[in-house]
Amino acid sequence: MSVLEREFTLGEIPGILWTPASASAAAPVPLILLGHPPLGLRTMYPRPVARARQSAADGFATATIELPGSGDRPRLPVLEQARADLRRAKAAGEPVGDEVVDALILPLVDKAVPEWQGALDAFLSLPGIGGPVGYSGGVISIGVRLAVVEPRIRAAGLFAGSYVPRSMFEEARRVSIPLHVLLQWDDEGNDRQAALDLFDAFGSREKSLHANMGGHTGVPQFAADVAARFFRRHLK
């Protein structure tokens, strides 16, 4: 499958858009928004581009944007302090407290979600890209908030691999779109019980949990195939 990759900047926000060669104004394709951890697009590039190629083969356009405070974007002091507090707690073998989790995640969600919505406006204005829209991966709390506030997103594939503030559980109860949640059972950086509790909290009538043995980076290829079938079912 031939894929067209385009880098762009929306205001101060860099991103990448991938479209199948077959996409045109006469034959627009659905869109999947690709989330990623706040490690910078350049660092994360191999992962979203692999997902983009898989999605193009299924007839989807995909797009991602740089998260606030990541990559070449200006640092956000509140996030930098929270990351330092997180590193300090982990180095000392101490539990990561709710205050640190809130400071680490909530400002990121509050800033990133409106940026995703603005980017979605721009993507859907392009010839060759139509609906419906899905969201895949990244910081799970961003996906939860988007699923609640963005009606154009019709289905979401979420990765249970990041810290979740307690307030997100209440937001999760308001999620109603179909969900596919991926959980690595032995993820060293993830509270498994919190991930299971979050899944239980989701209000969606259709939700599935796909759990695999192994650590954070040990996601098997067949898990991607299962997620691809989920998006084909809901976005085609």
Side-chain angles (χ1 to χ4, degrees):
M1 166 63 67
S2 177
V3 183
L4 175 62
E5 178 178 299
R6 289 174 281 184
E7 296 187 10
F8 61 84
T9 303
L10 292 172
E12 65 168 18
I13 308 168
I16 308 173
L17 172 66
W18 294 272
T19 50
S22 60
S24 68
V29 296
L31 173 68
I32 299 176
L33 306 177
L34 299 181
H36 55 86
L39 301 175
L41 268 181
R42 293 180 183 176
T43 299
M44 297 305 302
Y45 176 80
R47 289 168 62 178
V49 74
R51 291 156 62 195
R53 289 169 180 158
Q54 163 85 58
S55 297
D58 290 336
F60 299 123
T62 50
T64 192
I65 57 174
E66 188 72 86
L67 288 174
S70 296
D72 294 329
R73 297 188 63 182
R75 303 298 94 178
L76 296 178
V78 65
L79 295 182
E80 293 299 297
Q81 182 61 54
R83 289 165 184 166
D85 292 342
L86 174 65
R87 290 191 295 269
R88 190 178 303 113
K90 294 179 73 172
E94 299 172 351
V96 180
D98 290 344
E99 298 84 359
V100 174
V101 173
D102 286 355
L104 185 71
I105 301 297
L106 293 178
L108 182 63
V109 172
D110 289 343
K111 189 167 177 60
V113 167
E115 292 182 351
W116 268 117
Q117 291 181 291
L120 182 54
D121 292 340
F123 300 145
L124 293 178
S125 71
L126 297 174
I129 298 179
V133 179
Y135 176 85
S136 174
V139 177
I140 195 168
S141 294
I142 293 177
V144 171
R145 176 72 60 80
L146 275 170
V148 171
V149 304
E150 181 45 72
R152 292 172 292 184
I153 294 178
R154 301 278 294 278
L158 304 177
F159 296 174
S162 52
Y163 292 101
V164 181
R166 293 184 184 276
S167 61
M168 275 293 149
F169 287 78
E170 187 57 41
E171 293 196 38
R173 294 183 177 92
R174 296 163 53 198
V175 175
S176 59
I177 62 174
L179 295 178
H180 175 84
V181 182
L182 174 65
L183 170 65
Q184 286 299 106
W185 200 250
D186 305 301
D187 190 336
E188 58 281 0
N190 184 38
D191 183 334
R192 182 197 303 162
Q193 189 58 54
L196 295 173
D197 291 344
L198 182 65
F199 179 79
D200 190 47
F202 284 126
S204 303
R205 294 185 64 183
E206 181 186 336
K207 57 181 180 179
S208 60
L209 179 68
H210 192 100
N212 301 287
M213 303 305 292
H216 188 78
T217 60
V219 181
Q221 177 56 45
F222 62 76
D225 298 337
V226 174
R229 288 199 297 273
F230 168 80
F231 283 115
R232 288 197 299 268
R233 186 165 69 251
H234 290 288
L235 303 183
K236 282 287 191 178

